[in-house]
Amino acid sequence: MIISTGTASGKSLAYLTPAVASCLDGGTILYLTPTKALAADQLRGLRELRITQLRAACFDGDTPFEERTWVRQHANYVLTNPDMLHRSILPRHAQWSSFFRRLRMVVIDECHGYRGVFGSHVAQILRRLRRVCARYGSRPTFLLASATASEPGAFGMRLTGLEMDEVTVDASPKGSTTIALWEPPLTELRGEGGAPVRRTATAEAADLLADLVLADVRTLAFVRSRRGAETVALTARAKLADVAFSLSTRHPRPSTPRRPNPTPPESDPTLNHQPGTAEPADTTQPGLLETDLTTHHRPPARATPPEADPALSHQPGAAEPAGPATPEPSRTTSGLSATTPAVSTSKHEGPAAEPASESSLRWALPDAPAQPDWTDLPNKIAAYRAGYLAEDRRILEKALRSGTIMGLATTNALELGVDVSGLDAVLIAGWPGTRASLWQQAGRAGRDGQDALAVLIARDDPLDTYLVHHPQALFGQPVEAIVLDPDNPYVLGPHLCAAAAEIPLTDDDLPTFGITTSTVLDDLVSQGLLRRRPAGWFWTRRERATDLADIRGGGGAPIQVVESSTGRLLGSVDEPSAHTTVHTGAVYLHQGETFLVELLDLEAGVALVSSATPDFTTFARDITDISILATQRSHPLGPGTLHFGEVEVTRQVVSYLKRRLQSGEMLGDEPLDLPPRTLRTRAVWWTLPASAVAPLAEAGIDLGGAAHAAEHASIGLLPLFATCDRWDIGGVSTELHADTGLLTVFVYDGHEGGAGFAERGYARAAEWLTATREAITSCECERGCPSCIQSPKCGNGNEPLDKRGAVRLLNTLLSPQ
């Protein structure tokens, strides 16, 4: 069974009820989650039930070794993740025999996170789990919980290999959410080719987070990277420190607490406004940003309300006033001032909207001192991400729930079902990849049925630009189908080895692992990884078979990341990603520490790094050649033809860009000398005959530059139609390709064997390429910029590019015939 409904719709109750009943009846439950944070949150909820017979425990990387034996022998509700199931539980299934014999149910929570290559790995892990269960005579029910997804039953069947019923009706009560689409302004800086550079989404998020905390709005800011989350928190804290200094010098805290302001909220004219609406710019001090999003009342008894204090009103990105200033006249505040070029809002109404809880917006408890302690203001913001100690993460989660922390900058670690109810606003710095993730993150606010605010802050990226100018692409649209390919031979092979090491494979096991299993087994035998005997296939090597599969990476032998001064092993990076993430000169982040890569030694399988605090980030750039191995499907598209098939991609990282963290300003392009890599994968490509492109050439259009620009933009827009990230896919364009003899544009999966993204692009090509054209035309730049046709990973330095030509080329391709 798969339950696919919205945030806070009761999915947890739907699986907890039968799961706890099974434990009371003598059975065991296995609970799988993508993140340790969600497992810890679920464990807290289970313990609050205070049921003696329910022996729940986490079994993950944070579990002390002395507790693991107790969990194996006594726990009847085990919470873990696919990584631990793959590396520890399944290889040592004999130690879990008692647990597996009584296993009644496998709960797979937030399963929409299992997509792409990671999802393909998890699909094979679940098949190995089913096989181990059968060994001990149990046939557990698989119950999946997902955010709203397209075709959830089909996805659940691909993930588990089992027939799947689906529940998709969501009748849970919800408040309304105001959605703001926020585009940062252009700056004075110039990038490649003199293109204008927008202010970064992280800098905007830091400003808005500080503003919202000042307005006593409990806020979660989602940032795409660990480094970005830390940067947003540090920047916002610095802004609050400036404000705290200003306020503490002008309004020192009285020695005896004053009584709270008796004025009821409804009598305060500054509070009578509609949240999410813009007010006219102030003529007294133009350019200041009003940030009072508290829709019910002010914080109790502030000596000077924020709307009268210029230290709390500022343009995003501007420095905070360092000292006293002349107070400006009080004026009506707005929910969100439109001080940036493009801010659009929309109301999402639930079936039973309820008013927001006033207590959730208060600074402090009713008996708190009337005058806040301004010096503690910066401590109301913190960062949260993977890499922190488990106890530190639990403390932060508790502080956010209690209101001790008012603002938290986080990676998507808190996107999933961790209970952080009582939030009033969510900031999303950059498109999170899918509509499902967008609504999951926006749903973090207003979880108690209260009204909420969500702000999507656009990055300097074609997809983000498209979305802020085309809200109809978000609202009223179905969420994406979840893409994964469990038959990918490069994923299946390592898991067949792991399965054979657990229990020798037999012919009866082949249907469990899919239709390509027999072919892949023959390849593994020829490579000497498995040995075929009359009884089946056996793993005969000394090393651990599970080490062959890096389920969060792309497979292959990992590169060890070592600190050069101490010899400390920091972590590992899968070999396919090493060229782009730990090349010489790269900025590498590990558990909050920043390192610079001194040397990447591919032969030794090691990257040497040293501790550093650079003010820039790095992006690898490569050159790519592509050849067509097999065309699987084709159909006409306008005057051209659309194809899908197998290709061989040869990539070589040739340099890396250095960009300033805060502004995005390009600091340089450093050359690299790395060997080429070959990738066999799947691609979608389109061709145009000479008769269709001849008029464009006669009009003076650079066909190579037009195809190159269309390729960049289409890569940027594919994540809107396939559940992938821009960095999961690549592309090649050429005016005359050797295999086709025509103008050809390729977009391919960046994972060995493919991940299903290009296939999704083939299925929705007309919509995808139409959105690509609109993204280019809606950008206000003249010659092209990162918001439309420039790519941060282009190996040709974003040359040549022809923005006007790309629009004409796509018009030709999409013209009806």
Side-chain angles (χ1 to χ4, degrees):
M1 170 71 69
I2 182 169
I3 304 171
S4 178
T5 53
T7 308
S9 56
K11 294 188 291 290
S12 297
L13 184 63
Y15 61 71
L16 274 175
T17 303
V20 172
S22 296
C23 290
L24 297 179
D25 197 32
T28 60
I29 301 297
L30 182 65
Y31 172 93
L32 291 177
T33 170
T35 67
K36 291 185 286 189
L38 181 53
D41 186 72
Q42 288 286 316
L43 179 63
R44 179 183 57 83
L46 288 168
R47 287 176 174 171
E48 288 176 353
L49 296 176
R50 300 185 181 280
I51 299 175
T52 305
Q53 301 95 317
L54 183 64
R55 299 182 300 277
C58 283
F59 191 86
D60 55 32
D62 293 337
T63 306
F65 282 95
E66 57 271 18
E67 292 183 15
R68 296 188 180 191
T69 301
W70 183 92
V71 175
R72 287 194 297 266
Q73 295 177 352
H74 301 290
N76 57 9
Y77 197 118
V78 174
L79 304 98
T80 188
N81 51 58
D83 309 75
M84 290 296 287
L85 189 61
H86 164 62
R87 291 192 169 274
S88 180
I89 296 177
L90 292 178
R92 298 181 176 89
H93 58 83
Q95 299 177 3
W96 292 82
S97 58
S98 176
F99 180 85
F100 281 125
R101 285 192 183 96
R102 297 178 292 128
L103 187 60
R104 304 281 183 83
M105 182 182 294
V106 178
V107 178
I108 306 174
D109 204 0
E110 305 291 355
C111 63
H112 58 276
Y114 302 131
R115 61 177 186 260
V117 173
F118 177 49
S120 302
H121 279 289
V122 173
Q124 294 300 338
I125 293 170
L126 293 177
R127 285 156 174 77
R128 287 163 51 198
L129 171 64
R130 288 171 46 206
R131 187 165 166 267
V132 167
C133 289
R135 170 67 177 268
Y136 293 100
S138 64
R139 293 188 59 190
T141 298
F142 282 73
L143 200 158
L144 284 62
S146 168
T148 304
S150 176
E151 304 173 354
F155 159 68
M157 188 169 71
R158 297 189 79 182
L159 185 65
T160 63
L162 298 168
E163 292 293 330
M164 193 70 50
D165 288 331
E166 61 182 40
V167 174
T168 57
V169 178
D170 183 354
S172 58
K174 290 181 175 63
S176 63
T177 300
T178 299
I179 310 288
L181 306 180
W182 183 285
E183 184 174 48
L186 292 170
T187 67
E188 300 287 333
L189 301 172
R190 289 294 179 264
E192 290 180 307
V197 176
R198 290 194 182 278
R199 193 160 185 265
T200 64
T202 51
E204 291 288 282
D207 281 352
L208 291 172
L209 181 60
D211 291 338
L212 289 163
V213 169
L214 283 170
D216 307 326
V217 179
R218 198 174 302 177
T219 306
L220 202 59
F222 285 104
V223 191
R224 289 174 60 87
S225 69
R226 297 179 181 184
R227 183 192 305 140
E230 296 278 9
T231 301
V232 167
L234 288 172
T235 305
R237 285 167 63 94
K239 292 180 179 296
L240 293 188
D242 290 343
V243 175
F245 175 77
S246 174
L247 292 176
S248 61
T249 55
R250 294 169 53 193
H251 308 295
R253 190 175 184 182
S255 56
T256 56
R258 290 157 47 186
R259 296 181 61 188
N261 187 349
T263 306
E266 60 272 14
S267 67
D268 185 350
T270 67
L271 303 181
N272 296 325
H273 65 275
Q274 177 68 28
T277 57
E279 77 175 293
D282 176 40
T283 56
T284 307
Q285 269 188 289
L288 299 182
L289 174 66
E290 284 294 343
T291 57
D292 176 22
L293 299 177
T294 311
T295 60
H296 296 281
H297 56 80
R298 307 298 306 168
R302 283 186 177 169
T304 303
E307 65 271 14
D309 183 0
L312 305 187
S313 303
H314 63 280
Q315 176 71 23
E320 297 284 359
T326 304
E328 67 184 69
S330 177
R331 60 179 186 255
T332 303
T333 59
S334 69
L336 190 63
S337 291
T339 60
T340 53
V343 178
S344 44
T345 60
S346 175
K347 273 279 198 201
H348 253 29
E349 297 289 346
E354 299 178 6
S357 166
E358 294 190 8
S359 62
S360 67
L361 300 176
R362 290 192 179 277
W363 260 86
L365 298 173
D367 57 351
Q371 180 65 40
D373 181 4
W374 299 116
T375 60
D376 195 50
L377 193 56
N379 295 328
K380 291 186 173 293
I381 290 179
Y384 180 103
R385 57 168 181 76
Y388 286 172
L389 295 176
E391 53 267 28
D392 292 339
R393 293 198 300 268
R394 303 297 91 81
I395 290 171
L396 286 170
E397 293 162 16
K398 182 178 180 180
L400 184 63
R401 284 192 292 267
S402 67
T404 305
I405 289 176
M406 295 293 293
L408 202 60
T410 179
T411 59
N412 61 358
L414 284 179
E415 172 185 327
L416 305 178
V418 177
D419 182 12
V420 285
S421 57
L423 295 178
D424 308 304
V426 164
L427 305 174
I428 304 170
W431 172 246
T434 64
R435 295 186 192 93
S437 290
L438 176 71
W439 302 131
Q440 275 290 108
Q441 293 182 2
R444 295 292 91 185
R447 286 174 64 89
D448 285 338
Q450 64 204 37
D451 293 350
L453 169 74
V455 184
L456 173 62
I457 307 167
R459 292 179 302 153
D460 214 359
D461 179 87
L463 179 52
D464 291 47
T465 302
Y466 175 81
L467 292 173
V468 296
H469 290 280
H470 298 82
Q472 67 273 17
L474 291 177
F475 304 110
Q477 296 292 327
V479 297
E480 306 86 351
I482 305 170
V483 178
L484 73 154
D485 182 13
D487 296 324
N488 182 338
Y490 297 93
V491 172
L492 176 58
H495 287 285
L496 288 176
C497 291
E502 291 154 7
I503 305 169
L505 288 164
T506 65
D507 289 329
D508 293 339
D509 295 323
L510 301 191
T512 301
F513 290 97
I515 57 176
T516 62
T517 304
S518 179
T519 303
V520 175
L521 281 172
D522 291 341
D523 291 340
L524 295 172
V525 171
S526 65
Q527 296 172 38
L529 293 172
L530 292 181
R531 183 172 298 174
R532 178 72 190 269
R533 292 175 178 168
W537 290 264
F538 291 78
W539 174 260
T540 58
R541 296 194 170 195
R542 289 180 176 273
E543 57 266 32
R544 287 165 49 93
T546 52
D547 292 339
L548 294 176
D550 178 9
I551 71 172
R552 305 266 181 179
I559 301 296
Q560 306 298 321
V561 182
V562 178
E563 188 173 18
S564 58
S565 59
T566 64
R568 177 169 61 120
L569 177 64
L570 299 179
S572 62
V573 178
D574 61 279
E575 196 275 337
S577 301
H579 292 233
T580 56
T581 57
V582 290
H583 57 76
T584 301
V587 175
Y588 178 76
L589 190 68
H590 175 75
Q591 294 190 358
E593 295 182 72
T594 306
F595 298 86
L596 279 178
V597 180
E598 298 176 351
L599 175 68
L600 171 60
D601 189 335
L602 293 171
E603 291 185 3
V606 65
L608 298 177
V609 303
S610 59
S611 181
T613 55
D615 64 345
F616 60 86
T617 186
T618 54
F619 299 93
R621 308 175 74 161
D622 57 43
I623 56 175
T624 307
D625 291 321
I626 192 167
S627 59
I628 299 171
L629 300 178
T631 301
Q632 297 177 355
R633 295 194 290 276
S634 298
H635 69 75
L637 182 63
T641 308
L642 186 75
H643 307 269
F644 171 75
E646 188 177 354
V647 297
E648 184 173 84
V649 181
T650 302
R651 300 173 58 201
Q652 184 176 14
V653 175
V654 294
S655 67
Y656 65 96
L657 287 180
K658 296 166 66 175
R659 292 186 183 273
R660 199 174 298 279
L661 272 175
Q662 283 297 312
S663 65
E665 176 187 5
M666 193 174 75
L667 302 177
D669 188 354
E670 304 291 336
L672 290 169
D673 182 18
L674 288 168
R677 297 190 71 259
T678 300
L679 175 74
R680 291 173 68 101
T681 184
R682 295 177 182 177
V684 55
W685 65 94
W686 51 268
T687 59
L688 279 174
S691 59
V693 298
L696 302 180
E698 293 170 0
I701 289 174
D702 177 2
L703 293 178
H708 193 198
E711 172 221 324
H712 281 183
S714 61
I715 290 172
L717 266 291
L718 183 56
L720 187 62
F721 302 92
T723 48
C724 66
D725 187 89
R726 180 179 188 140
W727 301 91
D728 290 326
I729 51 181
V732 177
S733 59
T734 176
E735 186 176 348
L736 189 66
H737 191 266
D739 293 338
T740 65
L742 302 170
L743 183 148
T744 310
V745 175
F746 295 85
V747 175
Y748 62 87
D749 292 344
H751 300 276
E752 197 77 35
F757 307 137
E759 188 172 11
R760 178 65 58 171
Y762 177 84
R764 303 188 63 183
E767 300 168 79
W768 165 38
L769 295 173
T770 299
T772 299
R773 178 183 60 188
E774 292 177 1
I776 300 173
T777 56
S778 65
C779 184
E780 64 261 42
C781 73
E782 294 183 8
R783 299 178 56 244
C785 69
S787 294
C788 56
I789 62 173
Q790 288 190 351
S791 169
K793 57 178 183 174
C794 177
N796 295 322
N798 284 300
E799 291 291 343
L801 291 176
D802 186 342
K803 178 179 178 179
R804 183 174 64 91
V807 175
R808 292 280 301 273
L809 191 66
L810 290 168
N811 283 339
T812 301
L813 179 68
L814 296 169
S815 61
Q817 296 297 304

